[in-house]
Amino acid sequence: MKGSLQEFMVSERDEQFHDLLERFVDVIVDTEGFTRERLVGILVEVAKFFNLSKGVTEFYENLWHEQLGKGEIFIDYDDGRESKVIISLRVVTPVLSVVKCTLYHPVDAEELSEDEYKKLNLVARGLIRFISRNRLQNSIERIAFHDFYGFPNANFFFRKYDQLNRDGKLSGKILLVYNLRNFSVFNAEFGRKNGDRILKSFYEAIKYSVGEDGIVCRISSDNFLCMFDTGFMPRIEQILKGYPIIYDEQGMKRILVSGYAGVIVLTEKITLNSLEDILSGLYNALSEARIGTYGSIVYVSDKDSLEQERIKKLKVMFQEAFASGEFSAFYQPKVSIDTGKVVGTEALCRWIHDGKVMLPSEFIPVLELSNEICRLDFHVLDIVCGDIKRWLDSGFEPVRVSVNLSRKHLSNMELISHLSKIVDGYNIPHKYIEFEFTETTTHGGVYNLKRVVSELQEAGFSTAVDDFGIGYSSLSLIREIPWNVIKLDKDFLPLDGEASDSKTSVMYRHIASLIHDIGFETVTEGVETARQVQILRENKCHIAQGFYFDKPLPVEQFEIRLKQGYKI
């Protein structure tokens, strides 16, 4: 009889535990109805069931934050009794975040049985898994919809726009794209760190003024895209015309900062299908604002006819430019920091019209509106092949030349054949040609991009992704597509004097290590100082491109560099 009663009591406690466990699982898997209060409530029940005196969970975004003790620490239960640790778990997630769970038992309490310890350990591990999964989702959300500096990115905008479009709430909204007047001068005169402070302060002023439902997203560099109700426009205009910003760490120096903007007021006719045209119109308006003929804030509706005229004129000029040979390839060297020699170069298109150099930003957006951009890409490749042929005939070994390709090429099933025909027409080995795709051009075209990259490699060409880290799906891009070269964007490169444990330094170190371990060749762009060259050495990135070595050079100057090399 005694044995039966004992068995009954054990069974009853088991049933109590199983009921507790089921309710615990219900809480952590209920993603829609989850609240922290529900979780804490069930954890308190667990603590009392096992006679615990305290329970602590910790979360750190990375190993460095764990060392600094910079994380989130929750003491979900503590009854104040003198305690000792009975379970201490630590898990490092795939993204190198750290989750800990520590459970305490009263020092004068009876020890847990082996069975009770196993049950408690089961709950602790379940809690660890829940926190890991929950925080990983938060991290993915933050990475997907924010850039490296924490600004909402293009994905953030597209998601918000899509939602408003589906809900029929776009009418009455304003889309505005802005950038800062003389931002490059700020960086040069005050230093990049103070330049970043100016950029962030101006962003915060705009963000504060677009209302609770408004958004401000960083698209690139100092280019920001905003969406807000029309009633907030007067305040935004005031800021764009001039806003005082304190830019030094001591808070003693102020500067009046202004911006250029392209604006469109959305109507009932606007749909998601026309977003690309809307953004194109906005950036054209921004270009007009920078010129200043019609003011520093230009509305798309105010300049439609003028813009069409400008586009039409530029297209005529473009046709004439081919006939008169106005396009040239400038070359920016890629340098081995181990040997100091030029090991490659990027060919950059320059349009020289009436003795003045037109930068790509002045004409590429217009050519991107049609397939004329493809014609220009083929023309630049032809120029490059002519230069390589001349180098070969002169008796010295060329280096691999990178040529940029627009996203417009991705749907061309005859692309590889066309490119090969140009190169083979000069009898140039394919190993001397590399084709670059900017990461931001891959949005919505990963399948075609993968096909094109694979076919280029089968044809013996090298392939590279440019501006890695600032686009839509960086990790997917290197997981899905077999690149030869990854070009790290300059925003990831630490500044001189920046601490080795700063966010930028840690990010650069881990990204460079990841790319190196996967086996890609790595090129870091935007290298401007000797210290940054040393940072590349320390992180196994052996090739640099940037003003520390050279700006883009006319072919005659580049040939001198190619023959003489560098000495670092």
Side-chain angles (χ1 to χ4, degrees):
M1 185 71 177
K2 182 178 180 182
S4 298
L5 180 60
Q6 201 170 33
E7 289 173 4
F8 172 78
M9 293 175 63
V10 171
S11 175
E12 184 178 24
R13 183 167 175 78
D14 283 344
E15 287 181 2
Q16 291 174 350
F17 173 73
H18 290 147
D19 173 69
L20 195 58
L21 184 62
E22 284 182 9
R23 290 190 289 119
F24 171 71
V25 171
D26 286 342
V27 169
I28 63 176
V29 300
D30 184 8
T31 55
E32 293 185 1
F34 174 81
T35 64
R36 174 154 176 76
E37 289 73 18
R38 287 181 64 199
L39 178 62
V40 171
I42 195 69
L43 292 178
V44 169
E45 289 190 55
V46 170
K48 291 180 177 180
F49 183 85
F50 288 103
N51 191 27
L52 301 181
S53 54
K54 186 165 67 171
V56 180
T57 55
E58 303 170 57
F59 174 80
Y60 302 94
E61 285 196 349
N62 51 55
L63 298 172
W64 174 56
H65 281 184
E66 181 190 19
Q67 293 178 358
L68 295 177
K70 183 181 176 182
E72 296 177 281
I73 301 176
F74 298 101
I75 302 176
D76 297 320
Y77 182 78
D78 186 357
D79 64 11
R81 288 182 286 175
E82 186 179 356
S83 307
K84 62 181 178 181
V85 175
I86 58 169
I87 289 180
S88 180
L89 301 177
R90 176 181 179 273
V91 172
V92 180
T93 72
V95 294
L96 300 183
S97 58
V98 180
V99 184
K100 293 181 177 181
C101 178
T102 308
L103 302 179
Y104 298 81
H105 206 226
V107 293
D108 56 355
E110 184 178 344
E111 296 288 338
L112 295 179
S113 67
E114 183 179 352
D115 180 63
E116 287 180 315
Y117 180 84
K118 288 180 179 179
K119 290 175 179 175
L120 182 57
N121 192 62
L122 176 65
V123 175
R125 290 189 177 278
L127 181 60
I128 285 278
R129 286 181 179 274
F130 166 73
I131 295 173
S132 300
R133 184 192 67 220
N134 188 51
R135 291 301 181 178
L136 182 59
Q137 289 175 341
N138 292 340
S139 296
I140 292 173
E141 170 83 7
R142 185 172 61 254
I143 291 171
F145 295 103
H146 294 79
D147 67 12
F148 177 70
Y149 293 100
F151 293 108
N153 61 13
N155 279 345
F156 189 98
F157 169 79
F158 290 135
R159 180 174 63 171
K160 181 72 172 179
Y161 185 97
D162 187 26
Q163 181 63 52
L164 290 173
N165 186 58
R166 283 187 278 109
D167 295 343
K169 296 181 178 179
L170 282 176
S171 182
K173 297 289 184 183
I174 281 181
L175 290 188
L176 179 150
V177 60
Y178 79 83
N179 61 23
L180 302 189
R181 188 190 301 266
N182 299 324
F183 181 62
S184 60
V185 175
F186 295 154
N187 281 331
E189 185 172 346
F190 305 130
R192 184 169 155 187
K193 189 173 291 186
N194 284 334
D196 288 344
R197 188 175 287 113
I198 291 171
L199 185 74
K200 185 67 179 295
S201 296
F202 199 87
Y203 158 82
E204 289 174 347
I206 296 287
K207 181 68 179 73
Y208 178 77
S209 302
V210 297
E212 292 184 3
D213 295 329
I215 60 172
V216 184
C217 305
R218 186 183 187 218
I219 306 303
S220 64
S221 186
D222 63 325
N223 294 300
F224 288 79
L225 180 60
C226 316
M227 182 164 58
F228 51 87
D229 292 330
T230 54
F232 296 104
M233 189 62 199
R235 173 57 179 161
I236 301 300
E237 286 183 343
Q238 290 180 6
I239 295 173
L240 289 168
K241 290 176 180 178
Y243 183 78
I245 289 176
I246 297 173
Y247 65 87
D248 67 320
E249 292 182 357
Q250 292 74 31
M252 302 295 293
K253 298 179 180 179
R254 294 202 310 167
I255 186 172
L256 190 67
V257 181
S258 59
Y260 306 101
V263 187
I264 186 169
V265 181
L266 301 181
T267 68
E268 293 287 353
K269 297 179 180 179
I270 301 300
T271 66
L272 186 62
N273 293 331
S274 63
L275 179 58
E276 184 174 351
D277 291 336
I278 293 170
L279 295 180
S280 176
L282 276 175
Y283 276 98
N284 288 333
L286 179 63
S287 296
E288 293 291 341
R290 291 180 64 84
I291 294 172
T293 305
Y294 302 95
S296 60
I297 301 174
V298 177
Y299 283 77
V300 172
S301 56
D302 292 343
K303 55 168 278 301
D304 283 344
S305 58
L306 175 65
E307 178 60 18
Q308 292 302 317
E309 183 180 342
R310 187 182 79 87
I311 291 174
K312 184 178 179 180
K313 180 181 177 180
L314 192 142
K315 286 183 175 180
V316 172
M317 290 172 56
F318 178 71
Q319 302 302 327
E320 295 173 349
F322 272 94
S324 56
E326 294 184 357
F327 290 100
S328 298
F330 278 42
Y331 296 91
Q332 185 169 32
K334 300 175 186 176
V335 179
S336 166
I337 62 173
D338 299 319
T339 66
K341 297 293 184 181
V342 180
V343 294
T345 185
E346 180 179 1
L348 299 163
C349 181
R350 295 293 184 265
W351 184 350
I352 303 175
H353 181 71
D354 290 339
K356 297 180 180 179
V357 177
M358 293 176 61
L359 296 177
S361 59
E362 298 180 52
F363 58 89
I364 291 296
V366 174
L367 299 182
E368 284 276 8
L369 297 175
S370 67
N371 285 328
E372 295 288 13
I373 187 64
C374 298
R375 184 181 175 193
L376 178 61
D377 287 347
F378 292 139
H379 185 64
V380 172
L381 176 61
D382 190 77
I383 294 172
V384 167
C385 288
D387 290 337
I388 294 176
K389 177 65 173 175
R390 189 177 66 258
W391 299 336
L392 287 168
D393 292 344
S394 299
F396 68 90
E397 183 74 11
V399 292
R400 191 169 67 203
V401 181
S402 299
V403 180
N404 293 286
L405 290 181
S406 165
R407 70 182 186 276
K408 292 282 188 179
H409 292 288
L410 296 181
S411 59
N412 180 4
M413 298 302 293
E414 304 301 322
L415 174 63
I416 310 319
S417 174
H418 196 158
L419 296 173
S420 297
K421 184 177 180 180
I422 294 173
V423 177
D424 294 341
Y426 287 88
N427 196 28
I428 293 172
H430 290 194
K431 67 178 181 179
Y432 291 123
I433 302 293
E434 177 175 278
F435 292 105
E436 282 190 21
F437 296 86
T438 58
E439 180 178 336
T440 50
T441 66
T442 64
H443 181 58
V446 173
Y447 173 79
N448 279 331
L449 181 65
K450 185 175 182 179
R451 173 184 59 79
V452 169
V453 168
S454 298
E455 291 178 1
L456 284 170
Q457 291 177 348
E458 289 173 5
F461 298 110
S462 178
T463 60
V465 58
D466 194 13
D467 297 336
F468 177 78
I470 66 170
Y472 297 99
S473 53
S474 303
L475 295 180
S476 295
L477 207 59
I478 62 174
R479 181 187 63 192
E480 298 291 337
I481 300 174
W483 305 99
N484 299 106
V485 179
I486 306 295
K487 297 185 72 177
L488 280 178
D489 186 75
K490 62 181 181 297
D491 281 349
F492 286 98
L493 189 58
L495 301 173
D496 283 11
E498 195 160 349
S500 61
D501 58 358
S502 72
K503 183 185 292 186
T504 305
S505 298
V506 172
M507 285 290 292
Y508 180 82
R509 186 161 60 247
H510 285 293
I511 291 174
S513 176
L514 171 66
I515 295 173
H516 178 271
D517 290 346
I518 292 175
F520 293 121
E521 179 183 312
T522 309
V523 177
T524 298
E525 302 176 285
V527 178
E528 299 178 354
T529 68
R531 172 58 189 150
Q532 289 178 328
V533 172
Q534 182 59 32
I535 290 172
L536 266 62
R537 284 199 182 97
E538 294 168 357
N539 290 281
K540 301 179 182 178
C541 178
H542 304 287
I543 302 176
Q545 182 179 354
F547 282 13
Y548 178 74
F549 302 100
D550 260 317
K551 63 183 180 181
L553 302 168
V555 63
E556 298 81 9
Q557 294 182 29
F558 174 71
E559 288 175 2
I560 295 174
R561 303 288 196 272
L562 190 59
K563 293 175 183 178
Q564 295 179 348
Y566 287 92
K567 290 192 184 211
I568 303 177

